[in-house]
Amino acid sequence: MIITGSAIMVRSGTDKSVERKLEAFPQVTFHGKSNSGTDLIVNFECGDQEELESLCRTIRDSIPEIVDIGHIYVNFEDEIEKIKGGLS
Amino acid sequence: MDLTRREMIKMSAAGFAAAALNISLPTTSAANEEIVVDKWIKGTCRFCGTGCGIYAGVRNGQLAGIRGNPQAVTNFGFLCVKGFKGYISMYHPDRLKFPMMRGADDKFHKVSWDDALNKVANKFKELQEKFGKDSVAFYGSGQCMTEESYTFNKLWKGGFRSNMVEGNPRLCMASAVGGYITTFGTDEPAGSYADIEKARTIFIVGSNMAECHPILFRRVARHKLQNPDNVNIMVCEPRLTPTARIADVWLPADPGTDLAVFHCMARELIKNNWTDAWYINNLCRFSTGAQDVDFKAYVDFLEQFTPEAVEKITRCPAGNIKEAARLFGSHGPSMSLWTMGLNQRTRGVWANNLIHNLHLISGNICKEGADSFSITGQPNACGGVRETGSLCQLLPGTRSVTDAAARADVEKSWKLPPGTIDPKPGFHTMEMFAKLGAENDQTKPLKAMLTSTTNPAQSLPNAPKYFKGMKEGFLVVLDIFPTRTTQLADVILPAAFIYEKGGVYGCSERRSQLTQKCVDPPGEAKSDVWIAAQIAKRMGMERLIPWNGDDPQIAYQMAWDDYRECVKLTEHSLYGMTYDRLKQLEAGLQWPCPDEKSPGTARRYVRGYDPIMNMPEIVKVPSSALIYFYGDKKHEGKANVLLRPYKGAEEPPDKDYPFFLTTGRVIEQWHTGTMTMRVAEIARSKPNAYLEIHPSDAKEYGIKEGDMVKIASRRGFNILPARVVKNSLPGILFVPWFDQEWDRMINRVTIDAFDEGSKQPEFKICAVKIEKLGEPKDVSDMYIISDPNAPFPEKV
Ligand code: SF4
């Protein structure tokens, strides 16, 4: 399981509609946004990195108002145990 | 992970993201950081030259997470997939955990550190006594910490009196060094990353930033997206890479032909009066390299490079070149950014010069948003190798070993008798590997080599040519995993990873940042500085390298302080960057930083920004000069606009080998894949190398997606699955170079011709032919060398 702290950059004036559209993705938790409304703060929760990348791609493709998705924090603590055990 | 902890992590994660963007989130204030990790330690990412600031989270004595440092002005909190995931490889069970020596049975056996170090020191002494001081070489890396490169460099140049010191930045950055030195008289860019957000035209050349420097590319892309009508991106690159896809103007020139494009742009700038007369009159010296000429001679020289003539040479549309020149000259400030596509060439230095020419004649340098900026590929190629002078012709402060005053200054700093440092440069990388060999081989003057944090058996161009020398010479390899190079070694020394030792990295924008030790290394692995100092001690050079204690934090600080002192009175002074300051400051410091009050330097050569302008003890700058290129060897404060003749690639396609081959990186993988291929998700997303081919070429050869294709040059071949893509121009093939699997090691195919000035090889261009071998086959084996005793695939 990986959990991110991420920023979704959206076109000016589209924040509310993007927030609504994000509700369709249970892996996304919305926390808040910048005063300008162009940066939304979210978590992504995914099984692994591949899943995270494919989720971001899907979200980008289905919400054209999104300009960019960037991750600031990713927690991988479960994965260290896996890799140490040679499970990777 | 229980629910409470998961919720806490989610809130903390959102809190970090919000903080990075200065957003206050009431919902996350309840999150207790202490629950997520025991402590956060400041450092830098080690997977490219951007120098992204990170915080490493430590929990129960091991790393539990990485987050971007929002106050790091390189990345403002953002990280790419390699930054987040790459470090996980340090926990892989394949880590080298104890020293090993090759036995009489040709197998590696575990030995004690004492045995390994005594063997190395005694063998080095024996060889130096028998074959001379220059018979033992050091080959380092742009991934070594600055303190490590400095220590090895000092041991060799000051202790052994030998300039047989090289590093893999010769393979990636040497042409950029040559370009800066021949144009400006001194290495490294004038400006900073912050110029990206001030530029109105950004010219990206020979760089797939989107995949190789994703966070810098993010800055470029965001700048464009926020100012779609006012910011223009131009990309000169033969492939329609993810970088080129955001370009307003794409200049798809055939590999190795872009010198003509740059000259043509200069011609257009002058013809249309998009030049800056003040810069031309006051800051430019026109030169053929051999002799100075006047501006008119430059104009006359450029006359041959009409857009139409250049289109014939390069296949780059004339209209695109004209538009690029217009934007560059009339829609500034303009900033150029480039990497290996410009450097890894037999005319790499010249290509660098020609980019600088554009900036100089149009006045696009030494101003906000205007710079001629080389991006480095490795995290510490600039800080660790270029700046510490860990190349065969250099001394600390990027000074030349041939410069008597520089030698005297370094000897004084190192408390060595005058005349200790050899004025003759050692062998450059390709010469070094060509001249490494057996003791009884009289054609090979080098008998031993110590390599650190690099994998030349996979990364050298035309690699098989050099296997024999590596196998027959006495080869000592410091690394964290088994590699193709450890397979050829005599002694393997297990090294610590960046977060297991700490140290300073200096990124592309002259910024040094300190990473502090986070966790202990596994098994008996040790830091490079400890290893270097122990070898020095055993060779009687303890006074020269006294930082041989067990605590890396003390040893690295001692090495750093010694280095600061050594370069104190140079243009590259970082004397003001004490460990204490680097620990406290979130974003590190940019040199020149000559004293402890200095805030560092965002823009060189400009009065009011660059403290060196007011330091006559280092360089004399006339008090009236506002901009002054003080590296100018003629002491006129000018830069050279160089009239470099057009010359294409060393090995262009012909009837026998009709395709260009170009090589490069992909976003997921790093260099030879030894670390990133050990991160499961990364490996799964790019499990093997492949051959990119244009649909029209594929059709001609009957190749379909996934078919197995043999690609051969005059030197060797690979067998790879085909990817039929429209990314490249017809006639140009691309293969990434991360794969260790024998059939897919593309450096068995590349050419080892090199630039006469920089000695950097032409990885990016050679001629190849292809042949369809068969139907698709699953080669997604995520191949890695796990066992140091796995046999080398070819009889050497
Ligand atoms: S851009 Fe480079 S330095 Fe930044 S996180 Fe990615 S690999 Fe690391």
Side-chain angles (χ1 to χ4, degrees), chain B residues 56 103 111 150 159 201 227 247 375 454 499 521 535 725:
Chain B
V111 294
Y150 176 74
T201 292
N227 306 278
I375 305 171
T454 186
Y499 305 123
I535 293 170
V725 288

Side-chain angles (χ1 to χ4, degrees), chain B residues 721-773:
Chain B
R723 276 200 184 168
V724 182
V725 288
K726 287 188 185 147
N727 287 356
S728 296
L729 299 176
I732 300 174
L733 308 172
F734 170 78
V735 179
W737 66 284
F738 64 82
D739 203 332
Q740 307 169 36
E741 204 278 331
W742 184 250
D743 275 344
R744 304 190 297 262
M745 256 174 58
I746 196 60
N747 280 325
R748 292 173 56 210
V749 179
T750 50
I751 190 168
D752 52 353
F754 52 82
D755 184 297
E756 273 171 33
S758 67
K759 318 297 182 196
Q760 177 162 354
E762 191 152 69
F763 282 96
K764 288 289 176 193
I765 315 163
C766 72
V768 291
K769 60 185 176 184
I770 52 171
E771 176 192 345
K772 177 176 163 174
L773 285 188

Side-chain angles (χ1 to χ4, degrees), chain B residues 45 47-48 50-52 79-80 82-83 214-215:
Chain B
C45 172
F47 290 99
C48 86
T50 303
C52 291
L79 298 176
C80 76
K82 282 192 287 265
I215 296 299

Side-chain angles (χ1 to χ4, degrees), chain B residues 618-671:
Chain B
I618 296 178
V619 284
K620 293 194 174 39
V621 177
S623 57
S624 58
L626 295 177
I627 301 175
Y628 193 86
F629 295 118
Y630 49 67
D632 180 9
K633 299 289 174 279
K634 296 191 175 171
H635 306 293
E636 294 169 355
K638 292 188 174 186
N640 294 311
V641 173
L642 287 152
L643 285 63
R644 301 297 197 192
Y646 174 77
K647 191 162 187 303
E650 184 73 12
E651 188 186 59
D654 55 25
K655 70 176 181 3
D656 297 326
Y657 294 87
F659 288 93
F660 278 114
L661 167 67
T662 186
T663 63
R665 278 192 210 158
V666 291
I667 190 166
E668 298 88 347
Q669 297 279 3
W670 165 255
H671 278 202

Side-chain angles (χ1 to χ4, degrees), chain B residues 122 135 154 162 294 393 406 477 490 525 533 607 731 735 759:
Chain B
N122 291 338
S135 59
K154 185 177 184 188
S162 172
D294 59 15
Q393 82 282 17
V477 177
D490 295 282
R607 195 173 297 282
V735 179
K759 318 297 182 196

Side-chain angles (χ1 to χ4, degrees), chain B residues 247-540:
Chain B
D248 299 282
V249 182
W250 180 34
L251 301 169
D254 269 339
T257 63
D258 50 12
L259 269 65
V261 173
F262 308 145
H263 276 320
C264 182
M265 284 175 69
R267 181 181 176 277
E268 286 292 303
L269 291 178
I270 293 167
K271 281 244 168 307
N272 292 287
N273 210 17
W274 295 320
T275 49
D276 187 310
W278 188 84
Y279 269 68
I280 289 173
N281 293 331
N282 294 286
L283 294 175
C284 296
R285 177 187 306 110
F286 297 88
S287 169
T288 62
Q291 69 179 76
D292 293 350
V293 295
D294 59 15
F295 180 59
K296 184 177 176 305
Y298 179 53
V299 174
D300 293 346
F301 165 79
L302 292 176
E303 216 21 64
Q304 60 193 299
F305 298 101
T306 63
E308 295 68 30
V310 169
E311 178 170 343
K312 283 203 187 99
I313 301 171
T314 65
R315 282 203 283 175
C316 184
N320 294 24
I321 304 174
K322 286 186 198 173
E323 176 61 1
R326 185 186 72 78
L327 290 172
F328 193 101
S330 69
H331 196 79
S334 298
M335 181 176 197
S336 297
L337 298 159
W338 67 91
T339 54
M340 304 319 138
L342 211 62
N343 298 336
Q344 290 181 328
R345 310 256 295 272
T346 47
R347 289 292 169 266
V349 174
W350 291 7
N352 275 261
N353 292 144
L354 301 197
I355 296 291
H356 299 319
N357 286 358
L358 297 174
H359 285 269
L360 286 163
I361 62 171
S362 64
N364 272 302
I365 192 159
C366 297
K367 290 178 188 165
E368 206 171 55
D371 198 22
S372 191
F373 196 104
S374 151
I375 305 171
T376 190
Q378 299 185 82
N380 206 26
C382 287
V385 176
R386 287 157 77 167
E387 293 162 21
T388 66
S390 297
L391 291 171
C392 68
Q393 82 282 17
L394 295 178
L395 290 171
T398 325
R399 291 171 287 180
S400 172
V401 293
T402 60
D403 176 344
R407 287 198 308 278
D409 188 52
V410 174
E411 283 158 352
K412 195 169 151 218
S413 165
W414 287 350
K415 300 183 180 59
L416 295 169
T420 301
I421 296 172
D422 191 337
K424 192 167 160 251
F427 296 155
H428 60 82
T429 293
M430 300 315 296
E431 194 179 10
M432 215 177 230
F433 282 95
K435 291 186 172 165
L436 175 66
E439 286 182 47
N440 61 6
D441 184 344
Q442 290 178 0
T443 66
K444 307 287 183 186
L446 271 185
K447 305 300 180 189
M449 182 183 283
L450 188 152
T451 72
S452 172
T453 326
T454 186
N455 183 12
Q458 186 180 340
S459 60
L460 291 178
N462 191 13
K465 184 171 152 188
Y466 305 99
F467 293 156
K468 188 166 181 275
M470 283 186 252
K471 180 72 188 164
E472 293 186 347
F474 177 68
L475 184 64
V476 182
V477 177
L478 272 75
D479 216 325
I480 66 169
F481 288 119
T483 63
R484 288 284 174 222
T485 308
T486 61
Q487 287 184 306
L488 297 170
D490 295 282
V491 180
I492 299 175
L493 302 177
F497 194 75
I498 175 173
Y499 305 123
E500 298 161 350
K501 59 189 177 188
V504 177
Y505 269 168
C507 70
S508 308
E509 63 164 358
R510 296 174 282 105
R511 181 178 301 281
S512 297
Q513 300 179 91
L514 175 67
T515 297
Q516 288 178 268
K517 185 185 169 195
C518 304
V519 294
D520 289 328
E524 297 172 20
K526 292 283 191 184
S527 75
D528 285 31
V529 159
W530 184 85
I531 294 167
Q534 292 298 325
I535 293 170
K537 190 171 158 185
R538 283 165 172 78
M539 296 182 75

Side-chain angles (χ1 to χ4, degrees), chain A residues 45 68 77 79 81 84, chain B residues 5-6 62 218 681:
Chain A
E45 283 177 274
D68 184 38
E77 61 188 50
E79 287 183 83
E81 294 310 322
K84 281 174 90 173
Chain B
R5 181 165 169 72
R6 182 173 146 243
Q62 64 184 30
R218 190 172 190 281
E681 294 87 347

